[in-house]
Amino acid sequence: MRRLPPLPAFSLLLLGAFLLFRFAIQPPIPASLLTLYMAITVAALLLYFSSDEATWRGFLQPGIALLLRPDLRWLRVALGCLLPAGAAAAALGAALPAQSPPAELRAVHPAPPATVTFRGKPLTIQGLENPLRRDEAARARHLAAGTALYAANCMFCHGDALDGRGPFAAALNPAPASFRDPGTIAQLQESYLFWRIAKGGPGLPRESAPWNSAMPAWEPFLTEEEIWQVILYLYEGAGVAPRRWE
């Protein structure tokens, strides 16, 4: 890579980072996080290439030559026409309405499946209650564990006040849910939260669009008991009670 001129090296590193973030990470990360990671990568690469004066001059040299060399005049004219035309076409494509209506009705809180597979084990969601609530003697221990798990994994997006205003919230689209909103967890059974936390945005059905979630699937990282501990803390921290099965 050191033998390459700076600009081609920058382009190859940027392409490699995109392929890594887009295809090597499973489950796939949301588009908003991909954009954030690529912005950080560009900033880091620019910082690296500008740290040495000779390298930075080599990085800028192709652009300066394109702007100043007389023999590249026609290339400047071509780029001056193609770049605005490409931007206009992209903006027009994004602004045009879809030609066909959505295939399914949209739902903010889509109905969970009756059963899910958690780490290869079938789990019945329908009628399921938080099993940790039956163990009153260990409630304080489970609540402390849920608090610690939330602080380590969830606080960055959902905020330390559970209001959806974590440090990463501004970079996510859609924004993280506020658990203090009476329209969120207070209206849901705990089994719904288990399903959503375990499967994340990638596990949402199609009818949930456009309210897709940027949250990753936590099934690979948290055990079944840890997810129930986090749910226990969410209701305790938000000061609401879960909806019960009727």
Side-chain angles (χ1 to χ4, degrees):
M1 188 64 70
R2 283 181 174 276
R3 297 179 180 178
L4 285 176
L7 188 57
F10 173 86
S11 302
L12 284 177
L13 289 171
L14 199 60
L15 176 62
F18 174 78
L19 295 176
L20 174 67
F21 296 144
R22 179 65 179 81
F23 299 106
I25 299 177
Q26 295 297 329
I29 60 177
S32 56
L33 277 183
L34 176 62
T35 303
L36 175 64
Y37 291 167
M38 289 305 300
I40 294 173
T41 303
V42 169
L45 288 176
L46 288 176
L47 189 63
Y48 170 76
F49 282 97
S50 63
S51 61
D52 178 77
E53 186 175 351
T55 303
W56 186 238
R57 280 201 304 269
F59 181 86
L60 296 177
Q61 193 277 332
I64 295 173
L66 178 64
L67 292 174
L68 300 180
R69 280 175 49 180
D71 58 319
L72 297 178
R73 179 167 60 92
W74 290 110
L75 180 56
R76 288 197 295 274
V77 172
L79 289 176
C81 296
L82 289 175
L83 291 179
L92 179 62
L96 286 177
Q99 298 298 317
S100 58
E104 297 90 5
L105 294 176
R106 292 169 175 170
V108 178
H109 299 308
T115 61
V116 298
T117 301
F118 184 81
R119 295 191 173 187
K121 183 184 72 173
L123 189 65
T124 301
I125 291 294
Q126 186 74 30
L128 182 64
E129 303 279 359
N130 190 337
L132 303 185
R133 293 189 182 277
R134 297 195 296 266
D135 189 0
E136 280 297 329
R139 179 181 174 80
R141 177 173 63 84
H142 290 311
L143 195 56
T147 305
L149 287 166
Y150 180 88
N153 301 293
C154 316
M155 180 273 295
F156 303 100
C157 298
H158 292 284
D160 53 5
L162 293 88
D163 56 1
R165 297 180 179 179
F168 296 167
L172 300 176
N173 183 20
S178 167
F179 301 125
R180 295 189 176 277
D181 184 335
T184 58
I185 62 174
Q187 294 188 359
L188 301 169
Q189 288 99 356
E190 288 180 288
S191 60
Y192 184 97
L193 270 69
F194 185 92
W195 168 59
R196 291 290 295 108
I197 293 172
K199 302 301 179 182
L204 278 172
R206 292 183 59 188
E207 65 265 25
S208 66
W211 295 283
N212 283 326
S213 169
M215 185 173 69
W218 287 98
E219 181 179 359
F221 312 107
L222 299 179
T223 66
E224 182 177 340
E225 182 179 76
E226 288 173 333
I227 292 178
W228 287 123
Q229 289 171 334
V230 171
I231 294 171
L232 197 66
Y233 168 69
L234 292 183
Y235 283 96
E236 186 77 14
V240 296
R243 182 179 177 183
R244 309 307 295 265
W245 290 95
E246 299 174 353

